[in-house]
Amino acid sequence: MKDNSSQASNPLTRLWRNQESRGVIIQIITITLLFAIIALIGRNVVINLAALDKEFSFTFLTWPAAYDIGFSPFLEYTSQSTHLKAAAVGLLNTLLVAITGCIFASILGFTLGILRLSKNWLVNRIAYTFVEFMRNVPVLIHILAIYSLIITLMPPVKKALDLGGGQFFISNRGFYMPSPVFEPGAWMVGVAMIVAILSVFLFRRWAKKVQDNTGKIYPVFWISIGIIFGLTGIVFIAAGMPLSWDVPALKGFNFKGGMAIKPEFLALWLALSYYTACFIAEIVRAGILAVSHGQTEASKALGLRNNRVLQLVVIPQALRIIIPPLSSQYLNLTKNSSLAIAIGYMDITATLGGISLMQTGKEMETMILVMGVYLLISLCISGYMNWFNRRIKLTER
Amino acid sequence: MANEISDTPSAEATSVDSSDLIISIKEMHKWFDDFHVLKDINLDVRRGERIVICGPSGSGKSTLIRCINRLEQHQKGTIIVDGTELTQDLKNIEIIRSEVGMVFQQFNLFPHLTVLENVALAPIWVRKMPRAEAEENAMKYLERVKIPEQASKYPGQLSGGQQQRVAIARSLCMSPRIMLFDEPTSALDPEMIKEVLDVMIELAESGMTMLVVTHEMGFATAVAHRVIFMDGGEIIEENTPQEFFTNPEHDRTKLFLSQILHH
Amino acid sequence: MDAPRDGACWAFIRGSFELFVYGWYPEPERWRVNLSFLLLVIAIFGVLKDNLPGKKYWLWFAVFFPFIAAWLLVGGFGLVPVGTQKIGGILLTIIVGVTGITFSLPLGILLALGRRSHLPVLRAVCVVFIEFIRGVPLITLLFVASTMLTYFLPPGSSFDLLMRVLIMVTIFAAAYIAEVVRGGLQGLSSGQYEAADALGLTYWKAHRLIILPQALKISIPGIVNTFIGLYKDSVLVLIIGMMDILGLGRARLNDPLWLGLAPELYLFIALFFFLCCFSMARYSLGLEKKLRTGHKQ
Ligand SMILES: Nc1ncnc2c1ncn2[C@@H]1O[C@H](COP(=O)(O)OP(=O)(O)OP(=O)(O)O)[C@@H](O)[C@H]1O
Ligand SMILES: [Mg+2]
């Protein structure tokens, strides 16, 4: 056998044997390789661009985009607008579908997760089948299928389906519903709502203080709801109901008035939401199951009522388990929203990474921007979720 | 039955006044689906009485005491706890649960709350006690189980014996009339068993009504008025600890005792 | 929907079945595809079945399978060459899935080890790489593969689109696998590392013999879930114009004969994916249960 402690004569071997110097050598090699690759790619890019007579610059963002975007609820956009503006519209559309999608996915996901725990066999099985089927089929297929369902199975605009009292319609061009019209005095209702929300916060703090001092327990949840609806409602009536609805009506070839939700948005939003909801359902179910039965029993044995057992014991423990995987589902939904391009919903990938890329031939610049935007969104979501997680994190163990 | 108790020298309460009954179980049966776990249980417990329940695994000991605070529901017969009958009536269940304390084998402390918060939780939310008072009270009980210095730690940071003592303090804090113990020491290492038993003995000396499922014979001999032996969902034998351990009547009891003595 | 039409539409799916499975793979050479499918089944069987006699050889076969299949499918070395643009349908879906799965695992393990390395530079490179890949949608990476990658290559050279896509998909999956494996590595007690060090094992030996077998065992459910995700993500190649089963199906919808058959078509493709992914998920669930009881013993 060779004796390991014997000094190797070769100085290079000695360096390699020393733990510290070996680390330095490996790192130097890593850096050298990295820079070599970057340099090589850089050289290739320069040569390739020169050969195609292109230059690397972001000035194209100020050029007119010269294409239409059918769905821009927040910004005024025409085909004369710049690529930058098109990108902004796309970003807002991405955020719109991501945020509304996360909200709906959470509601649906928590509901499905709780239904999965139901003791009713039928309810349980239905939820199980739904969750398992939906989450094992690629989300792109969901998006395409829903979209094609809307545009092929829904009637044309002229025969739009009346979903309720001549107020809500659905056709293959979208979903139409009344939009609120604020009349003079509406600001008072808005103020009342803000005041109500603020006073709910104050009330909650006050109720907690009262409980700490006297032990009296108020039905905080119901009183909060009462304050929000009561105060807003009273002011609404007192101000002479300064709100009317602009009802969509069929005029000629299209609906006039009201709000229209485009089929592209509807399909993307629905498919992303229920697809993600199925994953959230499993997370919620696992989180609640992970709170041991003994916890519920111990709280019941102490005389706590069922709703208090949930509020004080089960939910705080389950949330701790649920939140980290939940945040990665939100990230997934946001990234999956880039599939919008398959049905022509104009998100950031479809505008900047799609049409702008094609029209300007700036493959590299546009892709760098698009990826940067997604990275930024991902960073924001995971940063926020980490902060939230730390806030409710337990010091236990 | 009552006569047997009054004959025993260790029994403190000797009167047979029925108003003194704090738990009265009559012809009680329980099934898990079609599995008959408890068969025709009759058991009267008087105020201040201390009962040890033992028997082989699966004989229904846990199920019996869990019926007393309605963690399990019985299907036939009556259970009356401190004058309140256990029925579907939610109000009654609530009353009984806040008067009956229970200590579990697995402690079941709330891991997301500190020791002090664990103990003060029920007084605040069930007894509607002001927080300061509840916490002061909780400290009193933590002192009684000899761990006031751990009040601000989380359960996961305590040893098993300490956790079980917190669990006892958590139950006592509701000033229960009856305490149920379901194998409180069997998840503990030997050196921790004593600290928990000491707390239970001290509790016994204060006159608490106790039903204890345990195989700790030293404890049974020292504090129990009666030992109940269960097998196959039935109460096979009940007797004073001395008689029970030295002179068991039934063969099944003898077999069981020979098994636990050989451990 | 009335019955006759219903029957008719499934007949169309049956009629296009060959196209859905093989894409435009030349008719006389299709035995090569069939042989690859058969070898795939054998490889999967060898990997999944416990207590096989000569398990080692089965595993080696699984390692070499992708190369054998690549040769069979693309040709050369005695076989008639077939261009990759002829590959489509289920064949393409499975190629993307299987390549991603086989190559992302070793790459992911290396990335995970790099991320836990004591060397700051190595660690930083791995962290940036993993977080970058996980922070952007796969579709943007595919766009990079299809539009931008040629700029990175030496002038005049070009390589196959399918190849570029396979590389991107592998890198993408590897970043996710890396995080799963890192979770497994973190799940090991530090005692295991210390024990390995105490035995005087080198870094690689310690990892090969002690650390990785345990860490990978814990991570199997997570790895399978990543594979399921990857398999489902393989449909994204349609967006850069490759014709997998979904792409072919959609192209079919423009055919006047197929007009209005979208629901049946999507249901058919959805069922195809459901069967593949659900069985993988059940398998992972079974493993998870087995592992859990294994730990208790
Ligand atoms: N929720 C339940 N559903 C069905 N059967 C149950 C349930 N809980 C207990 N059992 C069964 O009832 C019987 C009695 O259980 P119990 O827990 O009361 O026994 P035990 O005497 O406390 O045993 P041990 O000493 O092991 O704790 C056992 O056979 C058990 O399998
Ligand atoms: Mg028991």
PDB file of all heavy atoms in Angstrom, chain B residues 61-62 105 182-183, ligand 2:
ATOM      1  N   LYS B  61     -58.922   0.479  26.428  1.00  0.00           N
ATOM      2  CA  LYS B  61     -58.709   1.420  27.532  1.00  0.00           C
ATOM      3  C   LYS B  61     -58.793   2.857  27.057  1.00  0.00           C
ATOM      4  O   LYS B  61     -59.524   3.671  27.623  1.00  0.00           O
ATOM      5  CB  LYS B  61     -57.328   1.182  28.165  1.00  0.00           C
ATOM      6  CG  LYS B  61     -57.057  -0.245  28.555  1.00  0.00           C
ATOM      7  CD  LYS B  61     -55.643  -0.432  29.054  1.00  0.00           C
ATOM      8  CE  LYS B  61     -54.549  -0.117  28.077  1.00  0.00           C
ATOM      9  NZ  LYS B  61     -54.274  -1.100  27.039  1.00  0.00           N
ATOM     10  N   SER B  62     -58.040   3.150  25.999  1.00  0.00           N
ATOM     11  CA  SER B  62     -58.052   4.531  25.500  1.00  0.00           C
ATOM     12  C   SER B  62     -59.454   4.908  25.057  1.00  0.00           C
ATOM     13  O   SER B  62     -59.938   6.000  25.365  1.00  0.00           O
ATOM     14  CB  SER B  62     -57.104   4.682  24.321  1.00  0.00           C
ATOM     15  OG  SER B  62     -55.826   4.261  24.665  1.00  0.00           O
ATOM     16  N   GLN B 105     -50.695  10.403  25.511  1.00  0.00           N
ATOM     17  CA  GLN B 105     -49.414   9.710  25.451  1.00  0.00           C
ATOM     18  C   GLN B 105     -48.381  10.537  24.681  1.00  0.00           C
ATOM     19  O   GLN B 105     -47.230  10.642  25.074  1.00  0.00           O
ATOM     20  CB  GLN B 105     -49.641   8.362  24.764  1.00  0.00           C
ATOM     21  CG  GLN B 105     -48.407   7.512  24.674  1.00  0.00           C
ATOM     22  CD  GLN B 105     -48.722   6.159  24.052  1.00  0.00           C
ATOM     23  OE1 GLN B 105     -49.863   5.860  23.737  1.00  0.00           O
ATOM     24  NE2 GLN B 105     -47.717   5.341  23.883  1.00  0.00           N
ATOM     25  N   ASP B 182     -53.974   9.227  29.491  1.00  0.00           N
ATOM     26  CA  ASP B 182     -53.884   8.051  28.624  1.00  0.00           C
ATOM     27  C   ASP B 182     -52.418   7.685  28.432  1.00  0.00           C
ATOM     28  O   ASP B 182     -51.731   8.271  27.605  1.00  0.00           O
ATOM     29  CB  ASP B 182     -54.547   8.329  27.271  1.00  0.00           C
ATOM     30  CG  ASP B 182     -54.690   7.074  26.447  1.00  0.00           C
ATOM     31  OD1 ASP B 182     -54.234   6.008  26.904  1.00  0.00           O
ATOM     32  OD2 ASP B 182     -55.245   7.154  25.334  1.00  0.00           O
ATOM     33  N   GLU B 183     -51.957   6.741  29.192  1.00  0.00           N
ATOM     34  CA  GLU B 183     -50.558   6.298  29.162  1.00  0.00           C
ATOM     35  C   GLU B 183     -49.592   7.476  29.111  1.00  0.00           C
ATOM     36  O   GLU B 183     -48.808   7.612  28.168  1.00  0.00           O
ATOM     37  CB  GLU B 183     -50.314   5.380  27.953  1.00  0.00           C
ATOM     38  CG  GLU B 183     -51.361   4.286  27.869  1.00  0.00           C
ATOM     39  CD  GLU B 183     -50.876   3.060  27.118  1.00  0.00           C
ATOM     40  OE1 GLU B 183     -49.663   2.820  27.106  1.00  0.00           O
ATOM     41  OE2 GLU B 183     -51.721   2.345  26.572  1.00  0.00           O
TER      42      GLU B 183
HETATM   43 MG    MG D   2     -54.308   3.348  24.173  1.00  0.00          MG
END
